[in-house]
Amino acid sequence: MRTDTGQVFRLDGYRPSDYLLPQTELTFWLLSDQTIVVAELTVERRAGVDVGAPLVLDGDGLVLRSIAIDRRHLAASHYEATPDRLVISHPPFESRFKLTLETEIAPSKNQALMGLFRSNHVYCTQCEAEGFRRITYFLDRPDILSVYTVRIEASREEAPLLLSNGNLVESGELADDRHYAVWHDPFPKPSYLFALVAGKLGAVRDSFVTASGRDVELGIYVEHGKERLAAYAMDALKRSMRWDEEVFGLEYDLDVFNIVAVSDFNMGAMENKGLNVFNDKNVLADEETATDADFASIEAMIAHEYFHNWTGNRVTCRDWFQLCLKEGLTRYRDQEFSADQRSRSVKRISDVRKLRTHQFPEDQGPLAHPVRPRRYREITNFYTATVYEKGSEVVRMIRTILGPHLFRKGMDLYLKRHDGEAATIEDFLKVFEDVSDRDLSQFALWYDQAGTPNLNVTTSHNPASSQFTLEIEQSVPPTHSEGHKRLMHIPLAFGLVGPDGTDMAYDGAKGASVENGIIHIRNRRQVVRFSGVSERPALSLNRGFSAPITLTVEQRPEDHFFLARCDSDLFSRWQASNKLLSDALVASFRSLLGGKTPEFSGGLAGLAGIIAGDQTLEHAFRALALILPDEADVAREISANIDPDAIFAGREALISTIAKANREQFSALYRELHDKGPFSPDAASAGRRALRNVLLDYLSALEGGAALAAMHFAGATNMTDRAAALTALAHRHSDSTEACQALAAFERKYRADPLVMDKWFQIQAATPGHGTVDTVKVLMKHPCFSMTNPNRIRSLVGTFVSANQTGFHRPDGAGYQFFVETVLAVEKRNPQVAARLATALRSWRSLEPGRQSKAREALLSISSTPNLSADLRDIVERTLA
Ligand code: B3K
Ligand code: ZN
């Protein structure tokens, strides 16, 4: 485990390295008990750097076996090698020389899953962000671009497949039943994009002809026997390749594109040049084992990693502070891809829900940081919702401000101007300024200032003068990251909706720049006066979620009801109904705390009935509009003194109120939506299943609900329906025979399939109630559970601590005790996964005082544990700060 040096890295501390490494030749001898790596590095002193400046290379847990410069062995007095660093104090006077290093590593013992490790007997690497230094000493930073040639030697029996980045240039036999392969990647790349895979895997092959007519060989490598399950991923890959040509004019650039699926992986996937490595859960799918949500996420993830080939690989990041340059931009690109492949408005709503659930709490808690952080102790902890999801929103706002044509022009210029370079956010913004002649300096604050801005809006209408006035005030709540918040440029899409549901025209707008349906907010207070508005409109604001902000709008409830039914912008329609539901849930929480039974307006249940039956709306949209905000969403709205049990009770009360009022209509629709033809994962079929399963969730809350869910379970012909039924049973009727039987049947059927068993773990870990902590402890002893596999840990422990409000925040603190023990046990093997689990307590200050003090004790008990990893210490200390 890497020791915590406590060192803080700062954006303004960036300094180019003294040396460059234009070429890297690596030889891997994969032996049964260890691996020997020989690195031959071409080292070049940067122009202007003093002759003899020491050469300092990064390492992490390395053992140096030999070192030579220009093939001459280096005497011990000329260098200092520790596991974490290699310092050559007096490098040659020549400006260019060859440094040869031989290191020894032990992939089979590598449980942190960074660097070179073995997963299920397959050798595999993960180098982003700083894993390459666990393979050899190197200038392991993203602004060091090198051309790699990689030779792999291994036993043919153990590793018939030998893969690395780029194109295969040579392969052949060796003595002792060993063989070798040489791969060359002509594109200079940073070390974090290096990859090697060796092992026994089955192959799915296909090909793709690029727009300019070049042939690309495609390969997806999976565990033998699972080839059939990679068909959907292959199809998604080809669709992604075509989409990037059509929408961004970007072609693939190598002769081969390979994807490998492995079962032990810290993250979802990795975009190594020409050799993407995936967590197998993001590749393997068929209707029997994967839900519609899994299919959608595989499609998005395949696209995301592929799109990195340009945004991340061809143009990379100067330093890790610029992470959003590749991640926010590539997330934006994968969201657009999915929107084009599926339904744009449904995709937008899902993305915004994700942003609100994962990023808003980050922005509102102690882990808040700007999209481009200015300091870090452990970069691995900055692969956050802020960098990815808010980072994507910032790119989306640039497109909103510039319009599609200039946005594309800017993207073309960015990729042309910086191809083969390591760039910064300033470089990115500059291209859009150059193509549009706009000043984006105020807009740039979105990258540098944390916190979710709020717009407080009041309206007035004067029928005599036909004037409709908006008074808008912006504020950015304080965060640890910046003392003083500056005013932002917020592009606010809007509509003035008239009584017939269409947008009202107006003669003019004064007080702010208003163009193409967007008000550009730049000041603290802005008054916008619309003239020629004879009737009071319903105000539709932040259409399409044009800016990642919160809104406080003085609005009549009837306006929300009206907008929920009539707004021409579907996102806003969802937003209006979601707001009504959220307000009702907050009110029910307050009633319960005051000892009163919550009451709900009949209008809410009526609206749910109207939405469910609205044939003009897609099924998937109706499903999203009917799903109640989840407990964490309500907690965020309440923001202080949270008692998760009361939130849960209020939510259940609203579910049964809506279900009772609409019982007949929901039941009829539920029956009508039954799967008729053969299974298809397409968006329309998935939407139909989604709506039917939301209706099941409501109906399962009524009398007879367990029997209905059991029937749904028994009749399910795909995993989407089966998992939905099992969830309804386990969550609503956990003590029923039906629930026990269904859980047992599921286990019997899928116990040999770890990815499916993850769903079984997840469903049980998310079961509301104070008893779940004990269930989770028992499940940790289940033969399918493993403390070394990140997917198992995330499914069982991760789900419990981050998606089970009532269970985890049990008032007696038993959930927190379990959290402390488990996080520390995971940390011993895998600090990265432990640190991610530990973020589950990031909103501890919003809890009611009893839980708050127990949560604090839990965090303190972790932080006082000796020899914590840098990863975990960083999260826990920032959470407590
Ligand atoms: N770039 C990787 C994430 C790496 C995470 C390192 N801790 C996958 C992605 O976002 O595309
Ligand atoms: Zn990415």
Side-chain angles (χ1 to χ4, degrees), residues 128 269 271 304-305 308 311 326-328 330-331 334 383 388:
E128 188 177 358
E271 71 264 24
H304 179 97
E305 305 312 332
H308 267 312
T311 50
K326 73 181 181 80
E327 295 304 351
T330 307
R331 168 66 84 245
D334 83 57
Y383 287 76
Y388 280 72

Side-chain angles (χ1 to χ4, degrees), residues 261-322:
V262 295
S263 50
D264 301 270
F265 209 55
N266 281 349
M267 51 221 76
M270 179 63 213
E271 71 264 24
N272 316 300
K273 182 79 187 186
L275 176 54
N276 287 187
V277 175
F278 270 65
N279 186 319
D280 58 357
K281 86 182 173 89
N282 293 316
V283 171
L284 305 174
D286 70 356
E287 71 223 62
E288 182 59 31
T289 55
T291 61
D292 291 324
D294 295 329
F295 279 103
S297 128
I298 289 171
E299 179 182 79
M301 189 90 62
I302 293 273
H304 179 97
E305 305 312 332
Y306 173 72
F307 296 157
H308 267 312
N309 189 55
W310 278 94
T311 50
N313 301 6
R314 288 283 289 254
V315 180
T316 193
C317 303
R318 185 193 73 172
D319 52 67
W320 291 120
F321 296 99
Q322 321 293 331

